[in-house]
């Protein structure tokens, strides 16, 4: 009994162990060799610890940034980063177990829906599933659900999103790719549909519709070649300007010059993202292939929903235009949100590139050049508004100066805050 | 609403039975393309020929050979175009076939190849941007 109690209270409550056990289950179900099971399980365990280390670095940097932003502008400045949210939820807030079980649950619900319904979509973007499980667990915590309800409801909501989002995007994907073989599995789809809607209203139609692909765009965005450089290009000036306004009293630490400190803290943020994403890759490197294999065997006629770069080759100019216009929209949104009483949401370069770029393809296919430009700017505003709406709920749970990014995951969490919670209060 | 909601007929590999005449024509075309390959050192020309080879193999229902031809084309130069689009569909077709026979190694192989194609897509886009 003592041994069982020890295992329950000291081992099975550790998120890293739970996640490693899920990977072990997947590998055993696939009848992998003992050596593969052992190394796969260990790599997953290691991945979780690397993720936690990255998260700690990000939190330290964001805490500094929150302090200087507050003193510089007397406003709440929030960095949109789903990685930071996931890291804090898994690590600082101790939601790792719930997130791990929900991740597994979403996969199971996705397979069940695909197996028994006409919607054969299997969501294959592992990282996006991790973000979705994080946000549904956060939603459960916003509503005050216990662990069981949080995991079960999160699995159902996430599983439905995993099928519904590729299904909603499919008419557009068919038009973009010219066939029906693959689907889009990226939890920014509500943003894409928003841009498509805006492009339909404001864009070109019929004979007047001209594709972005017919024009030659200048090549002047060299920093975007490297993921981490693109984060640094935004974070360094942001920290420096904020540090300059905050002054030495708040931005300085010890004997280090305050501007040097602001610069180093910005670099720390980039380092944190780098480490955290390395952890995520390690963490999912074994789990995702194992469950992909299982899903494909259970639903052989599945339609794989793949990550957003799958669409880039069909409309590369629209990706660039989408990135630029979404960035313009997020900069406008940064100034606009405080005017309507919401937190300042700083532009997030990674989201602007991947979500903005893909949204640009949707805008272009629906409303041509004009649709992509106007739709892109509105998309930027939309993806700034969503995290702003979530800030209060996140901060009440203890999240430090960060908000989520991917629109579908935010909508899922907002659904908990604005639909499930009021219903629960009413009954 | 957006004017393209109707499902378009899927552009898939032609599984119709080939007439002996068609096979002959395609086989001749194949050997012509092979000759062209042997005669040229120009990379752009080679890419074009490999893409044509892939298309002919698809018409002959030789999926594996088509994949090799398209992969060679992409290996010479990573770029968007016919080879990427064709490979995406061919990998998916192979993945589906592997899933029907419940062959896990093959399923993983084709999913991994699709993943590599997505990585390439990111690389090419970034390179083309700047």
């Amino acid at each position: 009994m003592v041994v069982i109690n020890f295992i329950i209270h000291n081992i099975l409550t550790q998120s890293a162990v739970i996640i490693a056990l899920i990977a072990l289950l997947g590998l055993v179900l696939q009848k992998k060799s003992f050596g593969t099971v052992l190394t796969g399980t260990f790599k997953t365990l290691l991945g979780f610890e690397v993720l936690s280390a990255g998260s700690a670095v990000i939190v330290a940097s964001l805490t500094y940034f929150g302090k200087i932003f507050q003193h510089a502008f007397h406003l709440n400045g929030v960095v949109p980063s789903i990685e930071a949210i996931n890291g804090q939820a898994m690590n600082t807030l101790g939601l790792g177990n719930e997130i791990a079980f929900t991740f597994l649950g979403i996969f199971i619900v996705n397979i069940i829906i695909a197996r028994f319904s006409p919607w054969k979509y299997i969501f294959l973007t592992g990282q996006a599933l991790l973000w979705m499980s994080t946000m549904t667990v956060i939603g459960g915590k916003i509503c005050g659900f216990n662990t069981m309800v949080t995991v079960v409801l999160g699995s159902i909501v996430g599983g439905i999103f995993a099928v519904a989002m590729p299904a909603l995007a499919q008419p557009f994907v068919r038009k973009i790719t010219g066939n029906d073989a693959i689907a889009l599995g990226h939890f920014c789809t509500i943003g894409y549909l928003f841009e498509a809607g805006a492009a339909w209203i404001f864009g070109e139609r019929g004979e007047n519709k001209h594709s972005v692909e017919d024009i030659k765009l200048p090549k002047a965005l060299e920093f975007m070649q490297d993921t981490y450089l693109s984060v640094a290009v935004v974070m360094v000036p942001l920290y420096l300007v904020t540090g300059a306004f905050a002054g030495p009293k708040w931005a300085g630490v010890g004997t280090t010059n305050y501007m040097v400190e602001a610069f180093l803290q910005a670099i720390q943020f980039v380092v944190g993202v780098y480490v955290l994403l390395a952890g995520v890759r390690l963490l999912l490197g074994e789990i995702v292939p194992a469950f992909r294999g299982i899903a494909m065997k259970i639903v052989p006629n599945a339609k794989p929903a793949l990550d957003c770069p799958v669409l880039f080759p069909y409309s590369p100019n629209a990706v660039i235009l989408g990135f630029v216009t979404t960035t313009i929209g997020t900069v406008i949104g940064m100034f606009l949100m405080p005017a309507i009483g919401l937190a300042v949401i700083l532009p997030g370069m990674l989201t602007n590139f991947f979500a903005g770029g893909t949204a640009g393809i949707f805008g272009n296919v629906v409303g041509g050049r004009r649709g992509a430009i106007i739709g892109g700017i509105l998309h930027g505003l939309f993806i700034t508004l969503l995290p702003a709406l979530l800030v209060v709920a996140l901060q009440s749970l203890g999240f430090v100066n960060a908000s989520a990014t991917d629109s579908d995951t935010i909508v899922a969490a907002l659904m908990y805050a604005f639909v499930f919670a009021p219903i629960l209060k009413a009954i | 609403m957006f004017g393209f909601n109707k499902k378009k007929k899927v552009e898939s590999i032609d599984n119709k039975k080939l007439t002996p005449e068609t096979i002959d024509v395609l086989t001749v075309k194949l050997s012509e393309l092979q000759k062209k390959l042997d005669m040229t050192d120009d990379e752009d020309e080679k890419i074009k020929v490999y893409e044509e080879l892939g298309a002919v193999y698809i018409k002959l229902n030789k999926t594996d050979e088509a994949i090799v031809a398209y992969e060679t084309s992409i290996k010479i130069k990573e770029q968007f175009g016919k080879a990427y689009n064709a490979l995406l569909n061919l990998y998916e077709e192979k993945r589906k076939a592997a899933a029907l026979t419940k062959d896990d190694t093959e399923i993983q192989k084709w999913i991994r190849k699709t993943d590599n194609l997505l990585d390439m897509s990111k690389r090419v886009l970034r390179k083309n941007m700047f």
Side-chain angles (χ1 to χ4, degrees), chain A residues 117-133:
Chain A
S117 82
W119 299 286
K120 300 291 175 197
Y121 302 97
I122 293 283
F123 203 96
L124 291 185
T125 316
Q127 213 159 296
L129 288 176
L130 185 64
W131 309 151
M132 180 55 89
S133 49

Side-chain angles (χ1 to χ4, degrees), chain B:
Chain B
M1 176 181 168
F2 297 102
F4 50 80
N5 227 0
K6 281 173 204 150
K7 257 192 195 181
K8 253 184 157 185
K9 220 181 164 195
V10 179
E11 255 179 43
S12 67
I13 289 165
D14 193 356
N15 284 322
K16 273 180 271 173
K17 263 206 158 174
L18 296 164
T19 60
E21 292 79 24
T22 316
I23 294 174
D24 286 345
V25 172
L26 292 173
T27 315
V28 170
K29 177 88 182 149
L30 271 184
S31 56
E32 281 172 9
L33 289 169
Q34 288 290 0
K35 264 185 214 156
K36 248 189 186 178
L37 262 185
D38 296 336
M39 283 161 61
T40 182
D41 283 327
D42 182 54
E43 282 199 344
D44 289 340
E45 182 64 22
K46 276 191 172 182
I47 289 170
K48 228 175 101 187
V49 178
Y50 276 117
E51 284 177 351
E52 280 181 54
L53 268 176
V56 175
Y57 279 130
I58 286 182
K59 282 182 190 157
L60 282 167
N61 292 329
K62 291 185 173 179
T63 313
D64 292 330
E65 288 84 345
I67 289 173
V68 173
Y70 286 126
E71 283 180 340
T72 316
S73 154
I74 273 180
K75 230 177 254 169
I76 297 171
K77 190 182 175 190
E78 288 192 339
Q79 60 180 8
F80 297 150
K82 285 178 193 164
Y84 171 93
N85 299 354
L87 281 174
L88 196 65
N89 291 335
L90 291 170
Y91 289 164
E92 173 52 15
E93 204 159 286
K94 295 293 280 183
R95 197 275 309 155
K96 233 175 217 170
L100 285 169
T101 56
K102 298 197 187 302
D103 184 339
D104 192 56
T105 319
E106 282 288 296
I107 292 174
Q108 296 294 353
K109 178 181 157 188
W110 297 111
I111 292 181
R112 247 195 323 272
K113 275 183 181 274
T114 307
D115 283 343
N116 293 339
L117 214 52
L118 300 196
D119 286 342
M120 188 204 94
S121 161
K122 271 192 242 179
R123 276 197 305 275
V124 172
L125 189 88
R126 284 186 160 145
K127 216 165 70 190
N128 287 350
M129 259 173 110
F130 322 108

Side-chain angles (χ1 to χ4, degrees), chain A residues 185-206:
Chain A
H186 196 223
F187 281 136
C188 297
T189 305
I190 291 170
Y192 304 152
L193 299 179
F194 179 85
E195 168 144 358
W200 188 69
I201 295 168
F202 300 109
E204 302 150 347
R205 292 189 199 178

Side-chain angles (χ1 to χ4, degrees), chain A residues 170-218:
Chain A
Q170 197 56 15
F172 301 90
V173 173
R174 264 199 301 270
K175 179 76 179 170
I176 295 161
T177 63
N179 69 54
D180 203 23
I182 50 114
L184 179 66
H186 196 223
F187 281 136
C188 297
T189 305
I190 291 170
Y192 304 152
L193 299 179
F194 179 85
E195 168 144 358
W200 188 69
I201 295 168
F202 300 109
E204 302 150 347
R205 292 189 199 178
E207 282 180 8
N208 296 324
K209 194 162 118 183
H210 301 288
S211 172
V212 182
E213 300 313 311
D214 302 334
I215 52 173
K216 203 164 168 57
L217 291 177

Side-chain angles (χ1 to χ4, degrees), chain A residues 42-259:
Chain A
F42 182 70
K43 272 188 193 169
T44 309
L45 189 75
L46 210 62
F48 185 87
E49 296 302 340
V50 174
L51 183 151
S52 300
S55 165
V57 176
I58 292 177
V59 169
S61 170
L62 283 180
T63 307
Y64 170 85
F65 181 73
K67 184 186 76 180
I68 63 170
F69 198 90
Q70 180 66 40
H71 288 288
F73 306 115
H74 305 289
L75 284 169
N76 190 8
V78 175
V79 175
S81 166
I82 190 74
E83 297 85 3
I85 290 293
N86 171 258
Q88 290 187 39
M90 285 252 210
N91 192 27
T92 328
L93 302 178
L95 301 175
N97 280 356
E98 281 104 322
I99 292 171
F101 282 122
T102 308
F103 181 84
L104 179 66
I106 290 175
F107 220 98
I108 294 169
V109 174
N110 184 178
I111 292 173
I112 293 171
I113 298 175
R115 180 76 181 84
F116 298 106
S117 82
W119 299 286
K120 300 291 175 197
Y121 302 97
I122 293 283
F123 203 96
L124 291 185
T125 316
Q127 213 159 296
L129 288 176
L130 185 64
W131 309 151
M132 180 55 89
S133 49
T134 305
M135 294 306 288
T136 53
V137 167
I138 290 170
K141 292 296 146 191
I142 292 171
C143 293
F145 295 146
N146 64 29
T147 301
M148 183 62 106
V149 177
T150 300
V151 171
V152 172
L153 193 62
S155 304
I156 295 169
V157 170
I160 291 171
F161 266 80
V163 176
M165 292 302 124
L168 286 171
Q170 197 56 15
F172 301 90
V173 173
R174 264 199 301 270
K175 179 76 179 170
I176 295 161
T177 63
N179 69 54
D180 203 23
I182 50 114
L184 179 66
H186 196 223
F187 281 136
C188 297
T189 305
I190 291 170
Y192 304 152
L193 299 179
F194 179 85
E195 168 144 358
W200 188 69
I201 295 168
F202 300 109
E204 302 150 347
R205 292 189 199 178
E207 282 180 8
N208 296 324
K209 194 162 118 183
H210 301 288
S211 172
V212 182
E213 300 313 311
D214 302 334
I215 52 173
K216 203 164 168 57
L217 291 177
K219 298 180 173 188
L221 302 158
E222 206 158 329
F223 67 89
M224 282 305 296
Q225 279 195 43
D226 182 276
T227 303
Y228 303 102
L229 198 59
S230 63
V231 177
V233 156
V234 172
M235 295 317 274
V236 170
L238 216 58
Y239 274 58
L240 284 177
V241 170
T242 312
F245 275 94
K249 187 182 171 193
W250 301 107
V253 174
T255 53
T256 313
N257 174 277
Y258 71 109
M259 290 304 280

